[in-house]
Amino acid sequence: MATRTLLVSNRLPFRLVAGKGGYVFERTVGGLATALESYTQRRRPRGGGPGESLWVGWPGEHPPVAAQGAVAERLLEERHAYPVFVDPAEMDRFYNGFCNGTLWPLFHGFSGYATYEPRHWESYRAIQERFRDAVLRVAAPGDTVWIHDYHLMLLPSLLREARPRMRIGFFLHIPFPAYAVFRLLPRRWAREILLGLYGADLVGFHTHEYVQSFLQCALRVLGDGHDLGRIVARERSLRAGAYPIGIDVARHAAAPRRRRRAALPGRGTVARILSVDRLDYTKGIPERLRAFERFLEKYPAWIGRVRLAMVVVPSRIGVVAYRDLKSEVDRAVGRINGRFGTSRWTPVLYLYRALDPDALAEAYRESDIALVTPLRDGMNLVAMEWVASRARNTGVLVLSEAAGASQELAEALQVNPNDMEDVADALHAALRMPLSRQASRLRAMRSRLRRNGVVRWVDHFLADLGSAWDDQERLRARLLGGPSRDTLVGAYRGADRRLLLLDYDGTLAPFALDPRAVRPGPGLLGLLGSLARDRRTSVALVSGRDRATLHRWFGGTPLTLVAEHGAWVCPPEGRWRPLRPLATGWKKGIRPILARQAERLPGSFLEEKTCSIAWHFRPCDPDLAEARVRDVADELIQLTANLDVGVLLGNKVLEVCAGGVNKGGAARMLLDRRPFDFVLAVGDDTTDEEMFRALPGKAYSIRVGMATSHARFNVRGIADVLDLLRDLAAPRARVAGSR
Ligand code: GDG
């Protein structure tokens, strides 16, 4: 069976319109719909590739409940679509309230326009559940679910909870803001939004800048670092990447010339500048008009010879900010036309309406310059479509550097949309640009657009989604549970000479800002004691802690203690002895370097042990720490290249250790003391990896957390480790399900 792709977006690419004979479906204008239309049309008849697609979304109307079933059925049959019906009042709070009143301004960097209304947030959450239910109703096993845009950022996790193995992708069409802006959201909302996205296997953005912002927010808000865009946290692996959207170039280049009338009056007499956008404060429409006015002032030779045709598509009319914007634009157009216009020439031709697709294509073709100057824009398809329509390679694109498209259309004249002089100069330069340069720039952009069209965008995203999902499955297969856990417990019970090698921090006890605060409680001491009192079992605590702390906490128990990552060992009721001669001469050179760094990174502190110096940075600003520590680790590795020391990057700690001291050495020493027929090592950290590597092939090893590891298995967290140890300590097998 060919797999299906469920495209989930707030709006379906058409709306329901109530007519006399029932509902009809009317096409809607929109970036996503336009982009995906080419794709779905191309893929559907073949049924190959990623297979059929089915849209899930709001149809723009709320039929009476009794009629909803029939409408849904017709939609499925005629349009490959499944509607999510939402009560209009709820829709208003969700769409106008949270989506366009909070997320849209904030994510575009217009924080002054954002409102933070708890009722709107609650509706946002409620609507996600409606979408979840709709998707679950139509999703079949094996389907890929591709969720689109800021309206549905909580949906990936809601679906994940319901279907843990579903293949889920998410794409954000608008910018993802930098942390300084994202943090303006109430903390709980910010967390829920990020965790909502975590439900996806792959999260896509238009540019690397947005990817970086997202990763930065994940680090700052949730404390989750990443490795080349892959976050492994909270039991899951999530990939984030840049997938700049493309368009169907062939379609725009070959748009039919059906119209007899010109789309924009005034053809032939003047150079034509075109702009097309939805009425929105992010699009920089008043700023553009001011820049055009400045252009006429600064370069009066163009007066009477150029015209700006500005198509403004009405949008979000119910929202006050948009009504105000409309009045501002009206006033500015009036002012410029009043100031510069004559009876034979109107500088600004202002069309406040949508054009039909043919008229838009004609307008693209009839213009000489496209002036696309949003203050912020996820991508901007108009710029791309205009370039695609230039079949003769004439014309100049003046493009805002704040649009995601500026990355793809590098040969445009790029401007800062707030800088009137810059835009005015760019218009002047565009009008004077020789045809040969126009052609070479357009050719370069057109061929890039052709290479990176919308079909490639979809294929690329879906292919990466497939491999991100495979990552997830690999991770899942490594989870200790069910049969693998039973085998482990069975092997333990059948063995007579067992060795347990257990790390402490992050494995048996949680981390705390102050490392002294995680003293073992009586429960843990009792559990470890009961394991170690069985004469068949040796339990070693293999820790990075210093001797004194381990002694204070575990002295007098039947455990073997290993301190400082294997530098010291102390058998039960024995005395500490070093595993190898301790070399400490290197400390003199390294100590001042680490001390200087600790002083520069607020909240961090040094801990000096006999054979190592540890720089702890758990309490610090994670962003700052991450960047600084990587640099220092690099520097130290180079500085110590000729010394017998190791640089270990542990969990929020960087440690410089005497050479040859690591948990692997300690594990080997314990393994060599006598033969064992069952070995289990558990740890949570990169410093435990040496221990895993030192084990014989048949040994069991478990990494706590979902990181990639040399261990054979992963468990989710400390609770799973304790649960397993309790099972091992239990006199008989616990009844299945008792966990
Ligand atoms: C979001 C992001 C990102 C416009 N006017 C008319 C008309 N259009 C069509 C254009 C184009 C689309 O609408 C507009 O696309 P944009 O990219 O400019 O903006 P959004 O719709 O807000 O889209 C944006 C996009 O998602 C894709 O990821 O680029 O940054 O905000 O296709 O042709 N179509 C017709 N008449 C018009 O008057 N027929």
Side-chain angles (χ1 to χ4, degrees):
M1 187 183 69
T3 61
R4 279 189 320 175
T5 305
L6 268 54
L7 300 166
V8 189
S9 64
N10 173 45
R11 303 199 61 150
L12 291 174
F14 44 81
R15 73 168 75 81
L16 284 184
V17 180
K20 278 200 196 105
Y23 286 97
V24 291
F25 310 130
E26 211 173 71
R27 217 174 150 261
T28 53
V29 173
L32 174 63
T34 316
L36 287 173
E37 196 181 55
S38 312
Y39 183 80
T40 46
Q41 277 175 359
R42 210 172 282 194
R43 290 298 193 199
R44 193 179 298 148
R46 287 205 279 145
E52 291 248 327
S53 56
L54 173 76
W55 279 88
V56 179
W58 180 60
E61 257 294 322
H62 192 65
V65 177
Q68 288 179 2
V71 172
E73 239 168 69
R74 263 189 63 210
L75 270 171
L76 259 178
E77 210 160 281
E78 295 173 23
R79 298 283 173 141
H80 293 254
Y82 189 75
V84 182
F85 295 117
V86 183
D87 161 78
E90 182 91 287
M91 195 65 195
D92 180 58
R93 286 193 296 276
F94 160 76
Y95 185 65
N96 293 323
F98 199 73
C99 295
N100 294 332
T102 308
L103 293 174
W104 177 268
L106 206 62
F107 278 42
H108 283 87
F110 286 77
S111 53
Y113 285 82
T115 56
Y116 304 94
E117 188 59 63
R119 278 181 322 135
H120 295 167
W121 166 247
E122 289 312 324
S123 287
Y124 187 73
R125 299 177 80 205
I127 296 287
Q128 316 280 313
E129 291 174 8
R130 306 293 291 275
F131 272 78
R132 173 199 57 199
D133 297 344
V135 171
L136 292 178
R137 238 173 273 136
V138 287
D143 283 351
T144 293
V145 177
W146 189 4
I147 302 164
H148 290 268
D149 231 358
Y150 62 104
H151 315 89
L152 298 173
M153 289 194 285
L154 309 182
L155 184 57
S157 280
L158 291 178
L159 286 172
R160 180 67 60 205
E161 277 161 29
R163 300 263 175 94
R165 298 185 66 185
M166 193 176 239
R167 193 177 289 120
I168 304 174
F170 180 92
F171 191 85
L172 187 71
H173 290 263
I174 64 174
F176 197 94
Y179 174 65
V181 175
F182 187 72
R183 68 184 303 183
L184 298 175
L185 280 170
R187 188 159 275 274
R188 188 168 65 86
W189 304 0
R191 283 179 63 85
E192 271 191 53
I193 287 172
L194 290 172
L195 289 172
L197 294 174
Y198 270 37
D201 299 298
L202 174 65
V203 181
F205 302 88
H206 282 312
T207 70
H208 288 289
E209 182 198 332
Y210 310 156
V211 176
Q212 290 310 320
S213 298
F214 167 72
L215 293 170
Q216 187 198 28
C217 290
L219 178 70
R220 301 290 300 257
V221 178
L222 300 174
D224 297 329
H226 72 96
D227 191 10
L228 292 174
R230 183 168 178 236
I231 298 177
V232 180
R234 293 154 213 268
E235 302 163 24
R236 298 191 32 78
S237 141
L238 164 76
R239 278 206 223 165
Y243 300 86
I245 199 170
I247 58 166
D248 183 348
V249 174
R251 191 168 104 165
H252 288 280
R257 289 171 181 272
R258 266 188 241 126
R259 301 169 56 86
R260 284 219 203 97
R261 244 169 1 99
L264 310 172
R267 183 174 187 167
T269 51
V270 288
R272 289 143 304 180
I273 304 169
L274 174 70
S275 77
V276 180
D277 11 44
R278 262 186 328 99
L279 181 72
D280 196 289
Y281 46 80
T282 60
K283 300 290 185 182
I285 301 172
E287 292 76 4
R288 185 183 307 149
L289 284 166
R290 279 201 289 278
F292 183 63
E293 190 171 11
R294 177 70 192 128
F295 160 76
L296 294 176
E297 280 169 3
K298 193 166 176 180
Y299 302 103
W302 292 110
I303 289 177
R305 295 170 57 206
V306 296
R307 166 177 291 161
L308 170 62
M310 215 170 63
V311 180
V312 177
V313 181
S315 169
R316 304 177 192 172
I317 298 159
V319 180
V320 179
Y322 287 76
R323 275 202 299 269
D324 293 348
L325 178 64
K326 167 83 171 57
S327 319
E328 190 182 351
V329 172
D330 290 350
R331 278 198 307 274
V333 171
R335 187 183 64 234
I336 298 171
N337 284 344
R339 182 171 166 200
F340 293 96
T342 62
S343 56
R344 298 181 39 217
W345 177 67
T346 311
V348 182
L349 174 68
Y350 172 36
L351 301 182
Y352 179 60
R353 60 183 162 84
L355 301 181
D356 69 53
D358 290 348
L360 181 64
E362 201 62 34
Y364 284 159
R365 267 198 302 263
E366 284 173 2
S367 54
D368 304 297
I369 292 171
L371 184 57
V372 184
T373 54
L375 303 177
R376 193 69 170 143
D377 211 336
M379 180 54 91
N380 195 297
L381 298 179
V382 167
M384 293 181 163
E385 292 166 2
W386 185 85
V387 168
S389 75
R390 314 307 296 171
R392 294 207 190 103
N393 287 321
T394 56
V396 181
L397 171 64
V398 178
L399 177 61
S400 160
E401 59 201 16
S406 65
Q407 307 287 309
E408 304 302 301
L409 302 173
E411 294 80 2
L413 290 185
Q414 300 215 354
V415 293
N416 175 341
N418 293 305
D419 184 345
M420 287 186 301
E421 299 298 322
D422 195 19
V423 178
D425 293 347
L427 280 178
H428 181 61
L431 286 160
R432 289 158 45 98
M433 188 181 286
L435 282 172
S436 59
R437 277 183 56 208
Q438 295 180 16
S440 64
R441 283 167 180 250
L442 279 169
R443 243 183 247 120
M445 292 191 278
R446 279 160 63 81
S447 81
R448 191 171 313 115
L449 286 181
R450 222 175 279 122
R451 283 196 305 276
N452 300 302
V454 66
V455 173
R456 184 164 185 269
W457 174 68
V458 177
D459 283 341
H460 189 185
F461 184 89
L462 291 180
D464 280 7
L465 172 56
S467 61
W469 186 80
D470 292 343
D471 278 358
Q472 204 77 252
E473 289 293 291
R474 272 194 292 275
L475 211 60
R476 169 186 282 276
R478 291 175 48 84
L479 256 189
L480 183 73
S484 54
R485 191 179 188 282
D486 292 345
T487 311
L488 186 156
V489 174
Y492 178 86
R493 288 188 196 296
D496 293 322
R497 296 176 310 265
R498 309 153 175 159
L499 174 63
L500 305 185
L501 301 163
L502 307 175
D503 167 51
Y504 180 69
D505 294 278
T507 299
L508 300 175
F511 288 105
L513 286 185
D514 178 0
R516 288 165 305 189
V518 286
R519 191 189 180 95
L524 179 59
L525 288 171
L527 174 60
L528 295 174
S530 71
L531 283 163
R533 270 194 296 277
D534 185 330
R535 57 173 184 73
R536 291 169 295 179
T537 311
S538 304
V539 183
L541 210 63
V542 186
S543 170
R545 295 266 185 176
D546 63 90
R547 286 172 299 164
T549 306
L550 289 185
H551 203 82
R552 212 168 36 251
W553 289 353
F554 297 98
T557 65
L559 305 178
T560 296
L561 304 179
V562 176
E564 298 193 25
H565 301 294
W568 298 90
V569 63
C570 176
E573 292 163 27
R575 336 181 83 219
W576 288 103
R577 63 176 180 80
L579 240 77
R580 47 184 282 162
L582 295 175
T584 54
W586 54 271
K587 279 185 167 179
K588 211 161 55 183
I590 299 296
R591 190 183 297 114
I593 297 176
L594 287 175
R596 200 171 51 244
Q597 295 299 340
E599 208 203 41
R600 285 179 58 205
L601 183 63
S604 73
F605 58 93
L606 290 192
E607 179 193 8
E608 185 153 346
K609 308 177 205 173
T610 48
C611 69
S612 71
I613 308 178
W615 176 28
H616 293 270
F617 48 90
R618 183 168 304 281
C620 306
D621 177 311
D623 229 9
L624 199 60
E626 175 112 339
R628 188 76 58 77
V629 168
R630 279 202 189 145
D631 280 357
V632 176
D634 253 12
E635 185 191 331
L636 286 171
I637 287 167
Q638 297 198 15
L639 272 175
T640 58
N642 297 325
L643 297 175
D644 189 19
V645 299
V647 179
L648 311 176
L649 204 47
N651 196 324
K652 310 283 184 201
V653 56
L654 182 144
E655 197 152 356
V656 185
C657 245
V661 172
N662 64 56
K663 292 185 176 183
R668 271 189 294 273
M669 185 277 291
L670 293 168
L671 283 161
D672 287 347
R673 285 213 300 208
R674 53 195 164 99
F676 291 100
D677 55 0
F678 176 93
V679 177
L680 166 66
V682 193
D684 73 302
D685 187 325
T686 42
T687 60
D688 298 309
E689 292 293 321
E690 294 286 351
M691 173 164 79
F692 301 143
R693 259 197 286 229
L695 302 183
K698 275 173 59 186
Y700 289 89
S701 48
I702 301 174
R703 170 101 185 222
V704 183
M706 299 309 290
T708 40
S709 169
H710 286 99
R712 280 172 66 187
F713 299 103
N714 291 71
V715 292
R716 295 190 166 96
I718 294 171
D720 296 318
V721 178
L722 297 178
D723 204 39
L724 176 69
L725 294 180
R726 274 193 285 273
D727 268 10
L728 299 185
R732 284 176 286 109
R734 287 203 277 172
V735 189
S738 64
R739 314 196 251 281

